Each structure stands twice: as structure tokens, then as C-alpha cells.
Amino acid sequence: MNQLHSTNTQGALVSASADDTLHLWNLRQKRPAILHSLKFNRERITYCHLPFQSKWLYVGTERGNTHIVNIESFILSGYVIMWNKAIELSTKTHPGPVVHLSDSPRDEGKLLIGYENGTVVLWDLRSKRADLRVYYDEAIHSVDWHHEGKQFMCSHSDGSLTLWNLKSPSRPFQITIPHGKIQRDGKKPESCKPILKVEYKTCKSSEPFIIFSGGLSYDKACRRPSLTIMHGKAITVLEMDHPIVDFLTLCETPYPNEFQEPYAVVVLLEKDLIVVDLTQSNFPIFENPYPIDIHESPVTCTEYFADCPPDLIPVLYSVGAKHKKQGYSNKEWPISGGAWNLGTQTYPEIIITGHADGSIKFWDASAITLQMLYKLKTSKVFEKQKLGEGKPTAEIVEEDPFAIQMMYWCPESRIFCVAGVSAYVIVYRFSKHEVNTEIVSLEVRLQYDVEDIITPEPEIIPPFPDASSQLPSLRSLSGSTNTVACEGMMKDSIPCLSVKTRPVRMPPGYQAELVIQLVWVDGEPPQQITSLAVNSAYGLVAFGNCNGLAVVDFMQKTVLLSMGTIDLYGSSDPYQRQPRSPRKNKQFTADNFCMRGLSNFYPDLTKRIRTSYQSLTELTDSPVSLELERCKSPTSVKGSRKLSLPTDLKTDLDHVNGHCTSPTSQTCSSGKRLPNADVTKSNRRGPGRPPFRKAQSAACMEISLPVTTEVGYISRRAMLQQLHGVSTFSHDERHYAAYAWMDKENRENTFSRSRSSSVSSIDKESKEAITALYFMETFSRKNDSTVSPCLWAGTGLGMVLIISLNLPATEELRQTEPVMVSPSGTVLMLKGAVLTFSCLDCMGALIHPPYEVWRDPNSMDDSEKMRKRKLVMYSPSSSGDMGDHQFAVICSEKQAKVFSLPSQACLYVHNITETSFLLRADVVTLCNSICLACFCANGHIMAMSLPSLRPMLDVNYLPVTDMRIARTFCFTNEGQALYLSSPTEIQRLTYSQEMCDNLQDMLGDLFTPVETPEAQNRGFLKGLFGGSGQTFDREELFGEASAGKASRSLAQHIPGSGGIEGMKGAAGGVIGDLARARLALDERGQRLGELDEKTASMMASAEAFSKHAHELMLKYKDKKWYQF
């Protein structure tokens, strides 16, 4: 879109696009639509001008011609100003494209035409000839009139401003280069950058404002884009964070022939919109009420909460207002068009976004609004790493070490917990009072002790490419790499970041209660956190990664459990795990890279993209058949390795943000990629292909495999090691970051082949990650008769483990006695990585986890401090009519199951997908019932009833073509969901019929009728001497009767779909008729109301006049003529 022009009080908008098409938009309906389009075929549009209260649009073209369009019918007039008629006949060169069009404030029949080469022509529309012409050596970028119509100002490509007087057009009245350095020898100031746009606005009581963009000196190349305001002798330069697209000065009057009295400047930037207050000398900006900067820092995760407690939004807004920046204008936001409609859906909604810089933003998303409430900076609890100290660092991520990876929020208790990419967890409590306190931190060792299998007779596979040989290419992609160890030193028990040890001032809002950090173990960096859960009633936080599970008591600040995943099974391990070889000494060199960084923590083993390692390698048990399968497999191509994607996944997954993300898109050492045809061919399953389950691992979706040996993968362990050898991924268009890491053990670039009879057995698996956690009160064992606090943990292999929690009996003992945490021995199984849990009572109603009612921990009220914790329990045992059993709902990336507790019998099972995998699943409430909502990688949104798991909805909505969608998609109550559709846009969607029916009423109105202000009275002298604007009949001059028809080949008229047809398409049938009738009634009622007001005003004036006339008559009734 190149230009926009409003028709003011008519509720329409004219746009000129880059494809040389004019569009007329109807803003009177809630969904703006195009009424007419006009496509120029032979000339390119360069500038448009729509005079105030006119229906004729002037259109300048690249050839230098000016055409006129009737915006009511969108038909070209036969009146054309040809470039060769506008310039002098003696001119031998083409003047260039039209860069400016405007009518004279003094006479609407005079049109000022500016050409690129420096020629300006004042064209008389009545006589069809040029009144005057001015010439300048420098190219023109913009022109603006003085309100009297006697002078105009031009901006030029050399950074100069020229002021011209119509009485002496031979040379400029004034030439200034605002940012040019004055030469000592009296020469012309040096040239500057072009001034792209200038506006010349006059004031009745002060000097005029000259506002322009650009024009800075060339010797300040590093300066940011700027807007310059000249008022009298003062010159103010406002530097912007982003390039300036356009700006517009807001004035007190819309009439161009009056004193403009500017009061603000609206500046449109590439990624923001700001408004500058001109009424104050320091030119502050207005506080923007609209969230233009949602992607101020790249969004890394999102959470969506509908129907949350109503007191949260006012509380968050009040504490957020205290944190806002100072220096804003004290006036209200000056743009007031349109109107909000809340509709019937008035429950509060909150969106939380986590960002790459460690910040977290809370947004009010009620109805269709989006207003930032509160911003939390998690990086403030850590010390800043000082560069250049030369000390060894334990950071595992060089760029964005504070990036938010996961969030967990309990709206009722206001407990908030975040997990970061640098393997830390922070627990926050909400307080309305400021406090100065030290931050308590805990360190947790969480490691995986089981080693790879080393058989007595290993068969050496030809080595993979040496990591050091790939290092330059990795650095060119990522920009930075990071080593896990320094020479002569092995890191152990060292956290990745340093928590502040001094007392920290914590303003009102969320205040850090506890920081938990995973530490390095025997030189191995801590692995990313893949699951997170908090319960305020229990006072516990649990988190897991690919090594195991940790449970921390944030009330007593102690670690209750830190155990590897295999150890959680105990004797209930359903797999037969074979003994492993002793641990080998780890030798770390500079070639060993640290754990993946921000670009890779989203997809691999996280809650956003679920990994099913079990389904990656469901191979046959026979080594002979395996060898035959490998030989016949089309993936065993010499010099390459491939994996298969689901056949129904879109090929757009192969390239995400410009980087190869599909395992089928191979990358050799020289950086070449296979053609698409070869990739498609390799995806086809041959008759002898190993039965991989479609390789739905997220890690597979983001890896470009290097060229390696000609043999296939003998074990999943070797495949994953090769898969994780090199990884590059750009997480969004704005923030490019890529990281690389090598396997944590130096295997001399070789892998050992196992002679085991079962290559798909669990002992070939890599680390089993904890993918889902959930606190609930339920039956932990089969023979339990009462419910008890439990922690349910789901793994990447589809296993569900129940952890028993033994809490102290009383509140007093809870502060001193330890909480006992131990595996119950109960193990349930599903297919695919576990995504989510939920619990229902015997009637099928959702059982919410217990929570603590919020109380201010820093309250100044003594009674508040001494008040005991108030716990809200949702236990079925608290009510006798709720039965003696429960339903446990568990959903994995492949299937959903409903178990009866305590019998642990599987009542319902539904295989959701075979060829794809789920990205997100949540149990949500919808129309006073509950359902399981799922989002699949192939783009399907599904909903199933609970507890019967009966499919109710299956819509092919949006194939996952961008990893941003996968990591930000989330469901919430009342049939709503959201995801980031672009780096700067949040897309909300609904699958609720009730919401769809009310959506039209919830939409806001863009057009609100405003009465046009009256023009100033023309004085007798001004009218006599032509001091005010003169009007003329454009219809008579440009109409078909006098100007004729334009050439049909010049432009093509295209009817739009935004009129009645557009409303029918949007609303449909009777609803559309009702909407149109309602709109017409509203407009008619408004006009009648305005007419009544005017009639009442006239009657009041008449009565006042009659009263004054009667009083005057009575006063002079008895007086003689000579007494006056």
C-alpha cells in the first residue's frame, strides 16, 4: 500500500497499491471491504491527492500525466493534464514522474503539480493552462502550501528546503539546509541526505512549524531515522527506533485556507506508531494505548486464559501503570475514531507472552481488545555477565540466555512460574507492596547415569564428518558458538547463570520467591527443561527434562526429589533394560559444543513439539532382516542419510524461516541441498524400507543431516546422536540465532554396532524425557480407598508415572516438617509422548487441582500477615454424592485414554492420528461441559467429548508450515485458541458456535459520524480582495458532459465485493438483511437526532430573539424620535 486518502465524513477510504490499482473501501460496515477498484494498465501511479470535501481524486503517474477519478463511481474523467502541456515547449527533457499534487488554498481551481526533476507547475484547471512554472536544480521529494496560498515549500534530494513566492517564481524566496554544516569561506552549506517529506503548518499566535523526515548530514551514517521539528529558531531532532514510513500533522481545522494550529504529529514507523505532542516545548510522545510492539523482543512462548478471576485485570493494570516509563505527554491520546463493542461475551481473558530477552507481558484480551497490563523482567534476578573479564563462563547460551521457555500460571493463587533456556526455574509471588529482600536460590543435580552399549565385538562404521571441519560453516550460520569447558578445567556443580546475592528492590507486582538452577555434572551441561507444574496448595514445584524429574518445596526452600527417569520406575519398569558398560572418562575439547540454544529449545523434547522416540525406531527384531531392510531401503544412499516425514505433512515443513528443517532435505558438507524431486522421491516408502513410524520427532523436523556413510542407522541411539550432531534453526524473521552442539561424549566420530537380537528394545533408547506434569488429588494405587495428593508424570515413551506426596497434617507442621515424595509404583502406558492430564469425578465434571487463596505476603496489615493459608480443595471425598471413583484423562501425541481410578482400568481409548502427531492438547470447558481439544501437525483441530472420547469436531484449519505456530499454539476455555501468525501478530480463533454467532456484535465500528466543523467566516475585505479560498464546480469541469470519456485502455474498472454482496457473504441470508436494516436504522436515527438538535437550537435562538426584540420594543416604546 503506497497511499491512503480518507473521504472524511463519508465513511470511505481510497488506497493506492503498488500494483497500480486504486481501491475504494467501505468503512461503514464492521468488516471493511472493497467497493470499487480501478486498475491502471498503461501508466504507473506515483502520487494521489483528494481535496477536502471533494469527490474527485487527482492521480499522478510515472509518465508525468495527471488523471482525475470520480471516487463515487470510480470512473476516469476525460480531463487529463499531459506533461508536455504543463511544461514549457522549449524544455527538451522529460520532467519525470509526478511527486506532488495539491490544490491552492486560495483557489481550488489552481492545481500545484510537482515533478521529480525539480519543476513545479501551477495549473489553472478552468483555462487548462499553466499559470506559472518554477525550476530548481535538485530533485523534489515533497511540497506543502502556506495556508494563505501565496507561498509553498519544497524538500529536495540534497537535504535543502526551498520557499517559493508566487509573485517571484524565478528563484526561491528562501533556501535552507537545516542539518548542513556552514562553510567558513561563505560557500553553500554541504549537502545532506534527502528530505523525504515536509509539512509547513502555520499558527496564529506563534511561528510556523516546519516538520520533515530525513535530511541528516552524511557524516552521521550511524544515526537512526529521525523526524525534525523546526519552530522559529529552535530545531529539534527526534530519533526513531525504526525507519519512518510516513507522518501526518494533526491540526485544529481541516480547511487548508485557515491557520492550521498543529497540535500533534502521527509518525508511522515500520514496526510502531507514535504520536508527538507539539503543544509542549520538549515534544513528548503520547502513551500509545495500542500494542504495536508485541514483538519488541521475539515471542518464544504463549499462554491463554479465558474466564479467569475478574479482579486480576484491574490489579495487573494498577501495578503495571506504576512501572510505565516517564516522560509521556500528560494529554489524552488524540486519535479517537471508531468505537468498541464488547458484545455478550464479557468474561475476562488474559494472554501471557514470554520473550527472548527474558521479559514476560500480560495482556488484557477481553472481547476483541488487546491491551498490555503488566511487564515482568525475569533477567533482573541474575547478575549481568561482564564481557572481557577473561573468566570462564558456565553459560550454555551466548545469545539470549534469559529466553523464556515455559510458563505456568495459577490465576486463583497468583503463583507464577517460568522456565528459561539456561536451565532455571523461577517461582514468583504477587504482592501489591514494594520490598527489599535477598533472592533465595537452590541448585539441583539432575543427570542420566546410564551409558551407551559397548559390545565385545564392535563393528566400526566409517566415521562421520569431523566436527572441526564443520565449525566454520556453523559459525557462519549461527554467528556465535559456545564451548562447554575450558582447557584444564572440568565444570561440576556450577549453575549456568549467577543469581544476585545482594538485597534486591522488588517493585509491586510479581516478586521472585525462589530461583532453582540445574547445574553442570561432571563437565556435562544441564539439559533443557521440558515440563513444568506448580501447586500453591501443596507449595510444590516440579519440573523435568530428558535426564529425570525434580520436585522442590518452595515454601521451605528445599529439594524433595531429584531422580533419573529410569529410577522412577523402580521394580515397575515395563521394559527389560540390559546392563550397561562402565562409564568412560570424559575428555572435553574445544570441539565439544554446549547444549542447544534458543533456536533449538522449542522443538526438541518440549511441550510445544512432542517427540515420540519410541515410534522412530520400531524395527524388526531380527538382525538379519534388519540388514536386508537396510540394504533395500531407499534411505541408504551412498553419501547421504535420510529420514521420512509423515506423508500427509505439507512440504512447507521442509523450509521454515529460510532454513532447512526437514530431515528429508539433506545437506552435504558443501552446503548443497537435494532437489525437491529427489526429496519427494525419497519420502516414498519402498517395499523394503524399515518400518519407521513416519519420523514425527520434532528434532527430525528441524535437522539438516550432513552427508555421512552409506550404511543405515543400526540403533536409535546412533541415529539420535547423528541427528543432534548439527542443528541450525532461525526462530523468526527478525531474530536470527543458531547454535550448534556436539554429542556430550567423544566417540572418536564413530559409532558401535550392537549385536543385540532386538534393536528396538528400550536399551537402545536415548534419554527418556519428562514431557508432562500434573498435580492432583486422586488414587495413586489400585487398592487405595481415599484420594491423596499426587504428581502425575508423563514421558516421551508414553509412560505415565504416579508420584505420591505425603504432606504434613496441619498448617503449622507444613512450615517445619518435610514433605515426603516417593514413586507409587503405578505405571500406565500410552502410544507416543504424553502431552496432558486431567481428572474428572464420577459424574464427569472436571476436578480442578487444589489451590491456595491469594494473600499478600508483604501486606502492611498485621491481620493479613497472621492470617492462615486458605486452601480450596476439589476432592471428591469432600462430598458424599460424588462417588468413590474418578476418571483420569491422559492424552499423548498419538492417542487419548480415559482410565477409571482406583481400578486403573482403561475405559475409553481413541487413536487420534497414525500418520501425524499432536502439537498441543488441553482439557477445556465449553458451554458448561468439558472436552479435549487437540491441534495436529497436519493442521487439524479436533475436539472430543469427555469421558467418552467421542469425536465432535475435526476441521482442517492450518497446516504447520512455520515452527512459530507450533510453539505458540494454545487452547483455552470457551472454545478459543491462539497462536502467533507472524512475528508481530497474534491470531485468535474459536471453534464455539456461540462465539461465532456473537462475533459480528463483538466487532468494533471503524466509522463513527462526526459533524464537520464550520469554516471561518469570510470577512468583507477578504472576499473583496480574494484573501480567502475560492470554490468552483468540479462536477461541471470534470464531468462526462464537458470533459468526455477517458480511454478504455488506460484503466480497467473492477467491481468490488464490499457492498451489499460483501455483507451477504460475511453475514449471509437473513442475518445480512438484519445487519443492513440495523445499519440503515442507526444512520437514520442518528440523522434524525442531529436534525432534532438543530431544530431545538433554532427554536431556542428564535425565542431568544423574540424576547430581546420585545424588551427592546418596550424600552423605546414611549420615546420620541429626538430622544434616541
Side-chain angles (χ1 to χ4, degrees), residues 506-578:
M506 298 183 185
Y510 275 103
Q511 300 167 353
E513 171 90 356
L514 177 65
V515 179
I516 310 164
Q517 290 185 284
L518 296 179
V519 297
W520 290 65
V521 179
D522 296 335
E524 290 189 5
Q527 297 300 303
Q528 62 186 32
I529 295 172
T530 57
S531 55
L532 178 66
V534 184
N535 189 278
S536 58
Y538 304 155
L540 303 179
V541 55
F543 58 93
N545 60 9
C546 62
N547 287 337
L549 172 67
V551 180
V552 176
D553 184 346
F554 63 81
M555 293 179 64
Q556 298 185 22
K557 313 295 191 296
T558 57
V559 179
L560 303 178
L561 178 72
S562 176
M563 189 177 292
T565 309
I566 295 179
D567 299 328
L568 293 173
Y569 289 100
S571 60
S572 304
D573 193 347
Y575 294 101
Q576 182 180 0
R577 302 180 192 264
Q578 298 180 359

Side-chain angles (χ1 to χ4, degrees), residues 536-750:
S536 58
Y538 304 155
L540 303 179
V541 55
F543 58 93
N545 60 9
C546 62
N547 287 337
L549 172 67
V551 180
V552 176
D553 184 346
F554 63 81
M555 293 179 64
Q556 298 185 22
K557 313 295 191 296
T558 57
V559 179
L560 303 178
L561 178 72
S562 176
M563 189 177 292
T565 309
I566 295 179
D567 299 328
L568 293 173
Y569 289 100
S571 60
S572 304
D573 193 347
Y575 294 101
Q576 182 180 0
R577 302 180 192 264
Q578 298 180 359
R580 308 290 175 132
S581 62
R583 293 176 64 91
K584 299 191 304 179
N585 293 330
K586 295 179 173 63
Q587 300 293 333
F588 282 85
T589 64
D591 290 337
N592 291 97
F593 290 94
C594 65
M595 161 190 155
R596 62 188 69 81
L598 171 63
S599 303
N600 301 98
F601 77 76
Y602 310 117
D604 183 23
L605 295 172
T606 61
K607 204 172 183 181
R608 300 294 176 266
I609 294 289
R610 309 298 181 173
T611 308
S612 182
Y613 286 137
Q614 185 179 14
S615 59
L616 277 173
T617 55
E618 292 188 357
L619 306 178
T620 57
D621 290 340
S622 171
V624 177
S625 62
L626 173 67
E627 188 70 20
L628 293 176
E629 293 289 340
R630 264 194 305 110
C631 294
K632 290 187 287 185
S633 173
T635 61
S636 301
V637 182
K638 184 175 183 179
S640 65
R641 286 189 182 275
K642 307 176 189 176
L643 294 176
S644 63
L645 272 177
T647 55
D648 59 344
L649 277 180
K650 305 301 180 183
T651 55
D652 292 341
L653 275 174
D654 292 344
H655 296 86
V656 177
N657 293 335
H659 290 266
C660 180
T661 60
S662 172
T664 58
S665 300
Q666 303 177 21
T667 307
C668 61
S669 57
S670 61
K672 296 181 180 179
R673 185 170 294 147
L674 286 179
N676 292 335
D678 296 342
V679 172
T680 305
K681 189 180 296 182
S682 67
N683 274 333
R684 298 172 183 167
R685 184 185 177 107
R689 181 164 185 168
F692 281 56
R693 189 177 297 279
K694 306 301 183 188
Q696 63 268 26
S697 167
C700 298
M701 294 170 61
E702 293 197 3
I703 304 300
S704 301
L705 294 182
V707 173
T708 56
T709 62
E710 60 183 85
V711 295
Y713 292 109
I714 190 64
S715 70
R716 193 188 61 184
R717 176 72 173 182
M719 179 184 64
L720 290 175
Q721 284 180 320
Q722 169 63 10
L723 212 78
H724 292 173
V726 179
S727 178
T728 58
F729 174 64
S730 176
H731 61 86
D732 65 74
E733 290 83 355
R734 171 185 171 187
H735 193 84
Y736 294 98
Y739 303 87
W741 74 96
M742 295 301 294
D743 195 84
K744 292 179 286 297
E745 298 180 16
N746 188 354
R747 301 292 301 272
E748 288 83 22
N749 294 313
T750 62

Side-chain angles (χ1 to χ4, degrees), residues 79 94 109 167 213 235 266 271 293 299 385 466 497 576 634 791 871 936 963 978 1035 1038 1081:
Y79 192 110
H94 190 278
K167 293 183 178 180
S213 60
I235 300 178
V266 182
K271 297 181 180 180
D293 59 344
V299 177
Q385 182 67 31
D466 183 46
L497 301 173
Q576 182 180 0
L791 171 64
L871 306 183
C936 195
M963 298 309 298
L978 67 80
E1035 180 69 32
F1038 303 145
L1081 286 174

Side-chain angles (χ1 to χ4, degrees), residues 864-882:
E864 179 76 10
K865 289 183 178 180
M866 300 301 294
R867 182 169 62 90
K868 293 184 179 180
R869 297 173 67 218
K870 181 181 179 182
L871 306 183
V872 177
M873 313 298 289
Y874 287 92
S875 174
S877 61
S878 62
S879 177
D881 59 350
M882 299 188 72

Side-chain angles (χ1 to χ4, degrees), residues 821-1031:
V821 180
S822 61
S824 66
T826 301
V827 178
L828 305 176
M829 299 180 63
L830 280 84
K831 180 181 176 183
V834 179
L835 299 185
T836 189
F837 300 100
S838 190
C839 191
L840 313 179
D841 62 18
C842 62
M843 303 300 294
L846 182 64
I847 302 177
H848 296 275
Y851 66 87
E852 175 193 0
V853 177
W854 175 78
R855 59 173 182 168
D856 197 330
N858 304 318
S859 175
M860 307 302 292
D861 188 0
D862 294 336
S863 60
E864 179 76 10
K865 289 183 178 180
M866 300 301 294
R867 182 169 62 90
K868 293 184 179 180
R869 297 173 67 218
K870 181 181 179 182
L871 306 183
V872 177
M873 313 298 289
Y874 287 92
S875 174
S877 61
S878 62
S879 177
D881 59 350
M882 299 188 72
D884 57 354
H885 69 277
Q886 296 176 340
F887 297 109
V889 181
I890 309 174
C891 183
S892 72
E893 64 180 5
K894 288 292 186 179
Q895 65 179 189
K897 285 186 178 182
V898 175
F899 293 89
S900 176
L901 300 177
S903 65
Q904 298 179 7
C906 182
L907 300 180
Y908 304 98
V909 59
H910 179 69
N911 292 318
I912 300 174
T913 178
E914 289 291 339
T915 57
S916 187
F917 59 98
L918 294 186
L919 297 173
R920 182 79 183 224
D922 290 294
V923 175
V924 297
T925 60
L926 177 62
C927 298
N928 298 322
S929 61
I930 58 173
C931 65
L932 176 63
C934 306
F935 178 54
C936 195
N938 59 16
H940 283 251
I941 292 179
M942 294 164 281
M944 285 158 279
S945 64
L946 291 177
S948 61
L949 292 179
R950 179 173 55 88
M952 299 187 299
L953 174 72
D954 189 349
V955 178
N956 187 4
Y957 172 70
L958 177 71
V960 181
T961 57
D962 197 319
M963 298 309 298
R964 183 191 306 106
I965 300 174
R967 72 172 184 265
T968 58
F969 196 99
C970 55
F971 291 100
T972 189
N973 295 328
E974 307 302 332
Q976 297 191 67
L978 67 80
Y979 61 92
L980 241 70
S981 58
S982 75
T984 58
E985 295 174 295
I986 287 182
Q987 176 67 56
R988 291 173 57 186
L989 59 100
T990 180
Y991 50 92
S992 168
Q993 185 61 45
E994 182 181 1
M995 177 69 73
C996 292
D997 294 340
N998 297 326
L999 190 59
Q1000 189 70 19
D1001 294 332
M1002 294 173 62
L1003 295 178
D1005 294 311
L1006 288 177
F1007 175 73
T1008 52
V1010 177
E1011 187 175 354
T1012 305
E1014 295 184 1
Q1016 293 181 359
N1017 294 328
R1018 292 181 59 186
F1020 174 76
L1021 296 178
K1022 284 189 175 181
L1024 182 64
F1025 295 102
S1028 183
Q1030 300 180 14
T1031 61

